[in-house]
Amino acid sequence: MMKRCTPEQVGFSSERLQRVEAMTQRYVDEGKLAGLVTLVARQGSVVQFDKYGVQDLETGDLMALDSIFRIYSMTKPITTVALMMLYEQGLFQLRDPVSQFIPAFAATKVWAGEGQLVDPAREITIYDLLTHTAGLSYGGYEETGSPVDKLYDEADLESAEIDNEEMVRRIANLPLLYHPGQKWFYSVATDVLGRLVEVISGLPLDVFFEEKILGPLGMEDTAFSVPGNKMNRFTVMYGPTEDGNLEILDAPTTGDWARQPCLLAGGHGLVGTTADYLRFCQMLLDGGELDG
């Protein structure tokens, strides 16, 4: 854990930071959240770090400062750093077509309406993936009015039986919503970046993460699954019901992170602790360095 100091030493108000604690405790008391951890840091020092509520409503196990959470899309910055480390080694250029490394994307088409598929105005580049302008989707976006999102849902990209190579092959076979570079659209792009890390480095994504990022940064609780000896710190994930209560969406011992997955999702696959992620963020703020 990074050093701590008083809020006033780095320009914060102790009194106003207490509002964070009051607000989060109110969310727990009102049943909006089972529990949570808050952390505020500035200039390399932690000024607020606290826990509230429980990590399991059924057992009453209290939330802890080192409770493990599913970090979902906060996996994306870690995947992006991994890829940019390879960029720094001169192993690719940002404007390189993705098909140079994943040939299946050379045949990807664009949905042009009324069942028509056309060639893209240009190929998807690595830069397009990094900026969510590749024309990919996540599926489930009903507001687009496009059948492409339904095709994403039917492709079963989250299947526990597939690996990154198969997931990306399925993505490349789906039509694009837009021509590359035409529009920003939040998508599976960073999952494709995760596969690019594997192809360019020759390492599985979890191995690259551990050897190049998580291990060196001391992020000991960040991984694609939770081992048995840490399961007592893994939170139950809840979501709201229509009547305002909380229901279990993912349970620690039977859910998606109870075993090492085949699919190492670079866009959403990691779990970790608040303190772990602070170390990653501080490394970014320090220009790529932490603790020397």
Side-chain angles (χ1 to χ4, degrees):
M1 185 63 190
M2 287 163 40
K3 65 180 180 180
R4 301 193 67 155
C5 70
T6 65
E8 283 69 23
Q9 285 177 292
V10 289
F12 275 106
S13 162
S14 295
E15 186 232 344
R16 291 196 175 196
L17 277 175
Q18 290 173 2
R19 298 179 187 179
V20 174
E21 298 167 3
M23 179 192 72
T24 50
Q25 186 61 54
R26 186 171 69 250
Y27 272 48
V28 171
D29 294 342
E30 293 175 353
K32 294 178 179 178
L33 295 170
L36 64 156
V37 172
T38 59
L39 187 150
V40 180
R42 191 178 194 189
Q43 297 176 9
S45 296
V46 174
V47 298
Q48 196 276 344
F49 189 25
D50 211 346
K51 60 190 186 303
Y52 313 83
V54 299
Q55 63 178 32
D56 186 327
L57 288 170
E58 184 176 8
T59 65
D61 290 344
L62 296 176
M63 188 66 72
L65 294 179
D66 63 351
S67 288
I68 297 173
F69 296 89
R70 302 149 192 80
I71 67 173
Y72 285 111
S73 280
M74 296 315 296
T75 304
K76 288 180 170 67
I78 297 176
T79 300
T80 302
V81 164
L83 187 75
M84 295 307 290
M85 292 170 77
L86 298 171
Y87 173 73
E88 286 189 327
Q89 296 174 32
L91 298 178
F92 67 90
Q93 296 300 310
L94 294 179
R95 302 294 179 177
D96 284 344
V98 178
S99 64
Q100 181 175 323
F101 302 96
I102 305 175
F105 279 103
T108 302
K109 303 294 185 180
V110 181
W111 178 264
E114 298 180 357
Q116 291 187 322
L117 298 178
V118 300
D119 290 331
R122 61 167 175 77
E123 284 201 49
I124 299 170
T125 66
I126 294 175
Y127 182 87
D128 293 326
L129 294 177
L130 286 163
T131 56
H132 286 283
T133 57
L136 303 174
S137 180
Y138 251 131
Y141 288 121
E142 295 180 2
E143 63 271 20
T144 66
S146 170
V148 170
D149 283 308
K150 184 178 180 182
L151 293 175
Y152 265 79
D153 295 336
E154 293 173 350
D156 196 16
L157 300 177
E158 297 297 314
S159 171
E161 307 304 319
I162 65 174
D163 59 11
N164 284 7
E165 182 179 10
E166 173 61 17
M167 173 192 64
V168 171
R169 186 195 67 78
R170 295 184 185 187
I171 292 171
N173 285 333
L174 296 170
L176 301 176
L177 271 172
Y178 308 101
H179 288 275
Q182 180 182 10
K183 184 174 180 178
W184 183 92
F185 200 78
Y186 196 52
S187 71
V188 296
T190 314
D191 293 296
V192 180
L193 292 181
R195 176 57 183 159
L196 273 177
V197 170
E198 294 184 330
V199 172
I200 296 170
S201 71
L203 295 172
L205 192 60
D206 58 343
V207 174
F208 188 96
F209 278 2
E210 182 58 33
E211 291 185 358
K212 307 296 185 181
I213 301 174
L214 306 179
L217 288 177
M219 297 171 66
E220 298 178 351
D221 292 319
T222 303
F224 283 100
S225 62
V226 180
N229 63 343
K230 297 182 181 181
M231 194 59 68
N232 64 315
R233 293 194 281 127
F234 192 25
T235 59
V236 180
M237 186 176 74
Y238 296 96
T241 62
E242 290 185 0
D243 58 7
N245 294 315
L246 294 174
E247 63 178 351
I248 296 175
L249 300 182
D250 188 76
T253 57
T254 59
D256 294 336
W257 283 267
R259 56 200 163 275
Q260 179 70 1
C262 293
L263 183 65
L264 304 172
H268 62 273
L270 290 175
V271 299
T273 61
T274 310
D276 267 12
Y277 210 81
L278 172 64
R279 294 185 64 78
F280 177 76
C281 293
Q282 191 64 51
M283 176 275 294
L284 293 179
L285 289 170
D286 292 345
E289 180 179 336
L290 185 71
D291 298 340

